[in-house]
Amino acid sequence: MFPHPPLQPHYTSTEAKPAFVNRLFDSGAKYYDGVVDWGFLRSGSFYRRWALQRHGLRPGHQLLDVACGTGLVATAAQKILGSADTITCLDPSEGMLAVAQKKLSARFVVGRAEALPFPDNSFDFLTMGYALRHVTTFDEAFGEFHRVLRPGGKLLILEVTKPSGRAGASLFKLYFGRIYPSLTQVFTRSRDARDMMVYFWETMDACVRPEAVLAALRAAGFARVERKPMLGLFSEYSAVKS
Ligand SMILES: C[S@@+](CC[C@H](N)C(=O)[O-])C[C@H]1O[C@@H](n2cnc3c(N)ncnc32)[C@H](O)[C@@H]1O
């Protein structure tokens, strides 16, 4: 299952998506932290940490943060774990990883969710923050998440989800489709940063509904598959490898 259909004019086939997405994040990497900080009213660090705590991340856990980007989830996890010694951060964008490496001394790996370069049963906890829309297929990515988690291991996927009601969806479109990309251009004076936020909106708009994500997680073999909506905007998908 695909997170969304190919998004023209950026790319016309699913095969071309990874190269496009990689270029986008490499180019936007130096702006990412600043843009998401004000774009989400400075709530990002608190929210990531709060979500990790509520979903059971504890000191001693071996954590894999897939699509770590500039390290925002991993930095929040470090505060709970006490150090970054048991954190592995994976991302295909070397530009994003370079920013993350300046912030924490975790293990960093260049790679993609669909082909994790780790043995079976390696991790107690696996996170993916705001990157569900960027994988090629759910089947490949979720199959890999299931493979590398230990029995009893926990999966937590954080996402932004377009509201289903008309009024909420209109406000969502106004903010993420127009205001946020325009303000990004004004504040950063960077076309790359603006393009990153335009694509951010386009993927949210085109993304399959949460029921399809839950079905794909079950199909990958996960148990206790759940979605917790937050503030009508965020989705916390959680599951356990039984
Ligand atoms: C919006 S950023 C999220 C970064 C971070 N997790 C956060 O919470 O802010 C999306 C990240 O997903 C990464 N990404 C894109 N395609 C990916 C894939 N197939 N597998 C793993 N990561 C991917 C991008 O390089 C980028 O760093």
Side-chain angles (χ1 to χ4, degrees), residues 18 21-22 25-26 32-33 36 48 65-73 90-93 96-97 111-114 128-131 133-136 158 200:
V21 172
N22 221 28
F25 283 106
D26 274 345
Y32 182 81
D33 283 359
V36 298
R48 285 172 177 79
D65 183 32
V66 175
C68 66
T70 59
L72 297 182
V73 172
L90 175 132
D91 200 284
S93 161
M96 296 291 269
L97 281 172
R112 303 182 61 233
E114 300 87 336
M128 184 164 73
Y130 311 104
R133 292 159 279 128
H134 304 315
V135 303
T136 310
L158 303 177
F200 192 76

Side-chain angles (χ1 to χ4, degrees), residues 23 51 81 126 142 149 168 189 203 218 236:
R23 275 198 307 277
L81 296 171
L126 192 154
F142 295 167
L149 275 169
R189 297 172 183 229
T203 54
R218 288 189 193 102
E236 299 174 1

Side-chain angles (χ1 to χ4, degrees), residues 47-48 51-52 55 64-67 73 113 125-135 138 141-143 145-146 149 154-161 207 213-214 216-217 220 222 225-230 234-239:
Y47 176 69
R48 285 172 177 79
L52 291 167
H55 286 275
L64 172 61
D65 183 32
V66 175
V73 172
F125 209 105
L126 192 154
T127 47
M128 184 164 73
Y130 311 104
L132 189 60
R133 292 159 279 128
H134 304 315
V135 303
F138 289 156
F142 295 167
F145 295 173
H146 191 269
L149 275 169
K154 180 95 189 251
L155 170 67
L156 174 62
I157 297 173
L158 303 177
E159 246 323 322
V160 182
T161 303
C207 192
V213 179
L214 296 171
L217 285 168
F222 281 103
V225 174
E226 287 171 14
R227 170 183 177 247
K228 187 172 177 46
M230 292 296 282
F234 299 103
S235 291
E236 299 174 1
Y237 296 99
S238 63

